[in-house]
Amino acid sequence: MSLSRQYSFWGSLSPLGGLTGAGLLIMASARLSWAITVAGGLFWVYGFSAFVYSAISTYAVKILPEKGRAAIYTCIASFFGSIYLLLFWLLCPFAALENFLLLLLVPLFCACSGISENPAADIFENVSDSVSQAASLSGLLIIFSIVREPLSYCSLSFPGTSQGIVTIMYFTEGAFLPIGIFSHSAGALILLGFIICLYQSSKGNRGE
């Protein structure tokens, strides 16, 4: 089975199905602006890392050792993660500072993508599989943050400005929202557990 099918939204190794990206989901979904920033990092790091590693594996396979290819892939992912962080820092320093830890975690998730285990595969196939993984986790991040941020802060935000966050929607004070517990990790785990229960239930109803 190809990596893209295993890591697709309904796949057995998807971030939601196997909780591969649960840590990143919990930390980056508190604000929509954080989720968008991390989603951009996921596409950047996953795409460029897979392309460079696949190109090296295809055209310069002799320089790759038999063992330790996962470590080389981790170094490549870390390099592109650093480039993304630098570019984002130049555009919006405060937002980059807010997301510093989250962006440092992106290369580690990329290193676990499984691309380094298929050095002989086609470059286009490796890149498309890697980008599909990034799209799966990015989609979950953004959807979860759209649900979580209004419950926590009565707002929705985008990255930008010198403040790091642009509030694009703000709900009136004194309404049923916010439910402050969802701004913390414990509340996020409760909300994520509820979503996973719905996911597993729908998966069971489809007979998978």
Side-chain angles (χ1 to χ4, degrees):
M1 181 183 294
S2 69
L3 287 172
S4 59
R5 288 196 61 186
Q6 295 180 70
Y7 281 91
S8 64
F9 188 85
W10 297 108
S12 59
L13 297 179
S14 68
L16 187 58
L19 290 181
T20 307
L24 202 59
L25 276 173
I26 293 300
M27 291 183 285
S29 63
R31 295 277 190 177
L32 178 59
S33 60
W34 298 356
I36 293 173
T37 301
V38 173
L42 287 168
F43 278 106
W44 176 281
V45 174
Y46 273 68
F48 281 107
S49 299
F51 176 78
V52 170
Y53 183 82
S54 300
I56 293 174
S57 301
T58 301
Y59 301 109
V61 68
K62 292 183 179 180
I63 70 175
L64 289 178
E66 289 296 329
K67 296 182 179 180
R69 293 185 175 184
I72 293 176
Y73 191 74
T74 303
C75 292
I76 295 173
S78 299
F79 171 76
F80 283 108
S82 300
I83 295 296
Y84 181 82
L85 182 58
L86 175 62
L87 294 175
F88 196 67
W89 186 285
L90 295 175
L91 290 174
C92 192
F94 192 76
L97 185 62
E98 276 189 325
N99 293 276
F100 187 77
L101 176 61
L102 300 175
L103 295 178
L104 289 182
L105 293 176
V106 170
L108 300 181
F109 284 94
C110 180
C112 300
S113 62
I115 298 299
S116 61
E117 301 172 4
N118 298 279
D122 180 72
I123 294 178
F124 178 78
E125 181 181 351
N126 275 346
V127 173
S128 62
D129 285 344
S130 187
V131 170
S132 70
Q133 294 178 40
S136 177
L137 184 53
S138 298
L140 290 173
L141 262 176
I142 292 175
I143 292 172
F144 192 45
S145 65
I146 289 174
V147 174
R148 184 182 172 193
E149 185 176 0
L151 292 176
S152 303
Y153 302 104
C154 271
S155 63
L156 283 175
S157 58
F158 270 11
T161 75
S162 58
Q163 299 293 323
I165 289 178
V166 177
T167 302
I168 60 171
M169 186 179 298
Y170 190 79
F171 302 99
T172 57
E173 295 286 348
F176 177 71
L177 304 176
I179 307 172
I181 186 175
F182 292 121
S183 64
H184 305 291
S185 297
L189 284 171
I190 294 172
L191 186 60
L192 181 61
F194 177 73
I195 293 174
I196 291 173
C197 286
L198 294 178
Y199 162 71
Q200 295 293 350
S201 176
S202 63
K203 187 177 180 181
N205 291 335
R206 295 196 340 267
E208 294 185 1

